[in-house]
Amino acid sequence: MKAHLITYGCQMNEYDSHLVQSQLVSLGADMVDSIDAADFVLINTCAVRGKPVDKVRSVLGQLRKEKALRPLVIGMMGCLAQLEEGQQIARKFEVDVLLGPGSLLDIGKALESNQRFWGLNFKDELHDHIPPPPTGKLQAHLTIMRGCDHHCTYCIVPTTRGPQVSRHPDLILRELDSLLGAGVKEVTLLGQNVNAYGFDAGAKLAGYPSFAELLRMVGASGIQRIKFTTSHPMNFTEDVAAAMGETPAVCEFVHLPVQSGSDRVLRRMAREYNREKYLTHIAQIRKHMPEAVLATDIIVGFPGETKEDFQETLSLYDEVGYDSAYMFIYSPRPGTPSYQHFQDLPREVKTERLQRLIAVQKDWSAKKNARFQGSVQEVLLRGDAYSEGHLEGHTRGNHPIVVPKALGAVGAGLYQARVTATTPHMLYGELVGVDGQTLPMVPNFLPEAAALSSPLTML
Ligand code: SAH
Ligand code: SF4
Ligand code: F3S
């Protein structure tokens, strides 16, 4: 079998794709990198907004045409697959294999059966399963929990991924060990709401650490960099900020989605915190980790959001001074309370607000990134080329950074880089060291490096 896997959605989906890919390989499949070369195409889907659903529809349309011309098995997995909406789409586009996010380990059974196979159960084995480490990668995801116990009124995730189930710490540490053994240097702990780890349905699980304790345990493993996502402000506690500050491997990066700066909107979203409480968390993070790079998620144009409400989002942005933000136009999702009960705002209102927010974000990101000019940052180079002569990587603060190749910098690894230019989206630098040692310098000031280092060329 020649299998091609397409992944949409968040890092949880990337992790799940890796897991399913390793199952496919162990079943004897060859992974190929185009639809044309495949006889099994599997799409890992996202349902969080309308756009990713439209994308799946269009790829499935293309696949259905292919299937009329040659033998082709079509598979759909992930969040959309779990929804009635997704199952309708699957029927329409003649999908053969459909696996919800809890049924991924059924992939073998699904491919063996000679008829349509739909798996929609949430099975515990998924938690016990330790996928093999990604080959040749220094960065890896590690799922510490699945599902979500919150009920934000706009969000479909609790429906697609079910209630929160924390993974046993022994399994997490075993998976971490296997990653370490494979040479992984940076791990991102994943969950819809990692701060609630160990408290499923609101109750403390016996034998499970809290998230703060888990951070310390992972920090003691010898891994060099730890990131985690996502944090829900409602479950954020100061001991998490303290554990971050006291665990050297935990990177100076926090993604704390705020969604809105208006208390009225936050109430209507059922976010269970207000602006003041949120700002307390930011203050705690800054107290324990003064260098923390702060990122957030914001939804603009939530139903009923007034000009004044939106103004409060802009003012909160200024008050926090975020380094970066993921900004989304509210997308009504069938099956969510806000879809059912609230009237969507006109498209023009939503896009105009998004434009204004993006302008504020760009200003802040430009200012925040400029503070790194001239500094030396620890960079994890992924090893793939950004362009000929340049490599791409990430700092501890999660900034993408591009550096010209230097002698001794043969590819993937942890390096020190001096930042030579910044834009709102990116840092540019030159390699100055590897593993704490100074690099033998070469004239790495190639003409194209000079061009790339100019922020203006990126506009
Ligand atoms: N569990 C994570 C979020 C998962 S979804 C958390 O709570 O932080 C990622 C982001 O998508 C959310 O933070 C939110 O900003 C956005 N989002 C979710 N539902 C949305 C919708 N219906 N319309 C627009 N954006 C949405
Ligand atoms: Fe969705 Fe809210 Fe759960 Fe995040 S915390 S996944 S936004 S319901
Ligand atoms: Fe999308 Fe599911 Fe992730 S809806 S954002 S893939 S949790």
Side-chain angles (χ1 to χ4, degrees):
M1 182 177 49
K2 297 199 180 319
H4 178 60
L5 181 53
I6 303 172
T7 305
Y8 298 113
C10 63
Q11 298 179 74
M12 296 289 278
N13 265 19
E14 285 174 31
Y15 177 93
D16 286 348
S17 282
H18 167 69
L19 190 152
V20 167
Q21 176 165 329
S22 62
Q23 293 289 105
L24 286 170
V25 170
S26 70
L27 291 167
D30 278 337
M31 297 308 297
V32 293
D33 53 15
S34 76
I35 291 177
D36 290 347
D39 45 37
F40 174 46
V41 177
L42 177 60
I43 312 176
N44 193 358
T45 60
C46 170
V48 79
R49 282 171 289 276
K51 260 198 195 147
V53 176
D54 294 343
K55 264 196 206 141
V56 170
R57 264 203 203 89
S58 92
V59 179
L60 284 174
Q62 188 192 341
L63 291 175
R64 187 175 52 179
K65 277 191 205 145
E66 289 265 334
K67 195 176 170 177
L69 304 173
R70 65 182 177 97
L72 180 68
V73 178
I74 305 176
M76 181 172 160
M77 62 182 264
C79 285
L80 183 58
Q82 193 66 31
L83 300 176
E84 185 47 47
E85 184 187 9
Q87 289 148 32
Q88 271 174 20
I89 294 174
R91 279 190 285 267
K92 179 170 168 200
F93 291 98
E94 298 164 33
V95 166
D96 306 287
V97 171
L98 183 122
L99 298 173
S103 291
L104 305 179
L105 292 177
D106 281 346
I107 184 75
K109 234 196 300 172
L111 289 171
E112 262 171 32
S113 90
N114 280 326
Q115 40 192 311
R116 202 171 73 170
F117 183 100
W118 288 18
L120 295 168
N121 299 322
F122 288 91
K123 296 186 178 157
D124 289 346
E125 307 104 80
L126 198 54
H127 279 80
D128 306 340
H129 180 79
I130 295 182
T135 37
K137 294 221 171 119
L138 301 185
Q139 248 180 319
H141 295 132
L142 206 178
T143 289
I144 64 166
M145 69 208 297
R146 289 179 174 270
C148 179
D149 282 342
H150 283 278
H151 298 281
C152 304
T153 54
Y154 52 80
C155 187
I156 198 70
V157 173
T159 314
T160 66
R161 286 188 171 262
Q164 176 181 314
V165 182
S166 300
R167 213 167 163 206
H168 195 277
D170 291 350
L171 289 163
I172 296 174
L173 294 178
R174 271 193 9 228
E175 187 161 330
L176 182 65
D177 254 1
S178 115
L179 296 174
L180 277 166
V184 165
K185 296 190 186 305
E186 179 180 303
V187 72
T188 303
L189 306 178
L190 293 183
Q192 288 302 339
N193 177 10
V194 291
N195 292 277
Y197 174 80
F199 289 84
D200 297 354
K204 177 91 169 77
L205 298 169
Y208 284 61
S210 67
F211 182 60
E213 288 158 351
L214 184 71
L215 273 183
R216 293 179 199 272
M217 287 160 73
V218 175
S221 69
I223 187 96
Q224 274 153 300
R225 314 219 293 198
I226 304 167
K227 290 176 182 166
F228 53 89
T229 199
T230 307
S231 297
H232 190 298
M234 149 79 182
N235 302 94
F236 192 92
T237 47
E238 188 164 4
D239 62 339
V240 173
M244 289 174 63
E246 288 160 21
T247 310
V250 173
C251 289
E252 295 70 28
F253 174 71
V254 189
H255 181 205
L256 195 62
V258 68
Q259 315 298 2
S260 169
S262 152
D263 284 347
R264 204 181 66 87
V265 174
L266 288 171
R267 254 195 324 274
R268 288 163 61 88
M269 289 176 164
R271 285 292 285 180
E272 302 177 76
Y273 56 84
N274 58 22
R275 179 184 177 114
E276 192 190 338
K277 177 107 190 290
Y278 182 87
L279 288 169
T280 313
H281 300 317
I282 296 289
Q284 288 165 348
I285 293 167
R286 289 210 162 115
K287 174 174 136 199
H288 293 278
M289 192 180 251
E291 289 304 312
V293 167
L294 290 170
T296 196
D297 289 355
I298 295 173
I299 296 177
V300 297
F302 186 74
E305 182 189 75
T306 63
K307 272 192 253 167
E308 293 73 25
D309 292 322
F310 178 63
Q311 204 51 50
E312 291 196 39
T313 295
L314 296 181
S315 79
L316 179 92
Y317 205 110
D318 287 335
E319 199 166 338
V320 175
Y322 289 107
D323 291 80
S324 65
Y326 297 94
M327 298 157 287
F328 308 105
I329 282 185
Y330 169 73
S331 172
R333 300 304 300 130
T336 60
S338 65
Y339 172 88
Q340 229 174 342
H341 301 299
F342 300 146
Q343 179 74 38
D344 197 9
L345 288 175
R347 183 97 208 151
E348 315 79 73
V349 173
K350 298 197 287 185
T351 41
E352 191 265 343
R353 287 181 190 168
L354 179 68
Q355 294 313 324
R356 285 170 57 200
L357 180 62
I358 289 175
V360 170
Q361 174 268 323
K362 259 193 158 169
D363 270 2
W364 272 107
S365 296
K367 214 175 342 184
K368 288 281 170 170
N369 285 357
R371 78 184 192 278
F372 296 109
Q373 177 72 25
S375 70
V376 172
Q377 299 292 318
E378 183 196 87
V379 174
L380 192 145
L381 291 183
R382 279 200 300 276
D384 6 304
Y386 176 80
S387 67
E388 206 188 322
H390 293 83
L391 296 170
E392 200 179 352
H394 274 83
T395 65
R396 288 175 64 92
N398 224 30
H399 300 91
I401 180 164
V402 171
V403 294
K405 277 185 190 156
L407 194 67
V410 281
L414 276 180
Y415 295 90
Q416 280 70 47
R418 180 173 297 108
V419 178
T420 53
T422 67
T423 71
H425 311 291
M426 192 82 135
L427 307 180
Y428 297 88
E430 57 190 5
L431 295 178
V432 293
V434 58
D435 290 334
Q437 309 271 317
T438 307
L439 267 182
M441 289 308 289
V442 287
N444 65 8
F445 200 71
L446 307 167
E448 71 269 35
L452 264 170
S453 296
S454 156
L456 288 175
T457 58
M458 289 308 290
L459 295 178

